[in-house]
Amino acid sequence: MRRIKFGILIAIVLIGGIGGVYLWVNFQARKMLEEEPLPKVSLGDADMHMEKIRLVEDKNGRKSWELEARAMHQFQDQNVIRIEEVKVTYYAKEGRSVVISGDQGKFSQDSKNIELVGNVTLSSSDGYRFKTHSIAYNHSEKKVTTPDPVELEGDQIRMTGKGMVVDMDGKVIRVLNEVKTTLKRGPKG
């Protein structure tokens, strides 16, 4: 009789233990889902609408660019994605990076060209910072252009002007018109 009671007690402990492990695993999975919710998807004028998106392009195992946005609206017939509160990071082969951000824009899925408008900034890992109203990025040429007034600032230079071309691969910056340059003095030594 004791053996039967002991066997039943062991069976209850095993079943309880298995049930406890099952509940703990499900609780952890649910907790992970709550911490990182899936993007919201809805349909409106666009074919698809998503919030909090991130697109990444890898080439030969190396990240070449990534795009983050608060929201996107995809239009299949135009093959264009409208984006809001955008941040795009380009990674150059030699390890440099350039971050471009703006209020809104559009991304062409075919060409991977990007246009941004409103509070556009461009920052390079070399320490240069630009401000302008709008930019156009040509992916095949790896060039950023704007016809708008620009402000450029680096550790030892401040420049303003109208119109700009940035060659991302060649590391060349050209301010096109009405250029005013101020050289900053470095520390005395």
Side-chain angles (χ1 to χ4, degrees), residues 42-53:
S42 67
L43 297 175
D45 299 11
D47 297 316
M48 182 171 33
H49 172 80
M50 294 180 74
E51 294 184 11
K52 294 184 181 179
I53 65 150

Side-chain angles (χ1 to χ4, degrees), residues 67-84:
L67 180 147
E68 296 176 64
R70 183 185 62 76
M72 64 147 270
H73 312 275
Q74 185 173 19
F75 299 87
Q76 290 292 80
D77 59 335
Q78 302 168 26
N79 216 11
V80 169
I81 298 174
R82 301 256 184 230
I83 42 185
E84 299 172 16

Side-chain angles (χ1 to χ4, degrees), residues 62-121:
R62 187 183 68 79
K63 191 178 341 182
S64 57
W65 61 265
E66 70 183 290
L67 180 147
E68 296 176 64
R70 183 185 62 76
M72 64 147 270
H73 312 275
Q74 185 173 19
F75 299 87
Q76 290 292 80
D77 59 335
Q78 302 168 26
N79 216 11
V80 169
I81 298 174
R82 301 256 184 230
I83 42 185
E84 299 172 16
E85 295 179 27
V86 186
K87 176 181 155 189
V88 183
T89 306
Y90 294 95
Y91 300 95
K93 291 175 185 166
E94 69 280 355
R96 288 182 328 108
S97 63
V98 175
V99 177
I100 304 171
S101 62
D103 292 341
Q104 60 186 341
K106 66 180 181 177
F107 172 74
S108 171
Q109 292 177 288
D110 292 334
S111 65
K112 299 181 185 161
N113 292 345
I114 297 175
E115 295 176 18
L116 295 179
V117 177
N119 297 311
V120 176
T121 62

Side-chain angles (χ1 to χ4, degrees), residues 151-166:
E151 295 177 27
L152 169 130
E153 192 160 347
D155 292 337
Q156 298 185 8
I157 191 169
R158 178 167 172 22
M159 186 182 303
T160 60
K162 189 169 183 184
M164 177 180 71
V165 176
V166 178

Side-chain angles (χ1 to χ4, degrees), residues 118-134:
N119 297 311
V120 176
T121 62
L122 186 148
S123 302
S124 72
S125 57
D126 309 29
Y128 292 101
R129 295 166 301 284
F130 302 88
K131 292 180 188 175
T132 189
H133 176 69
S134 69

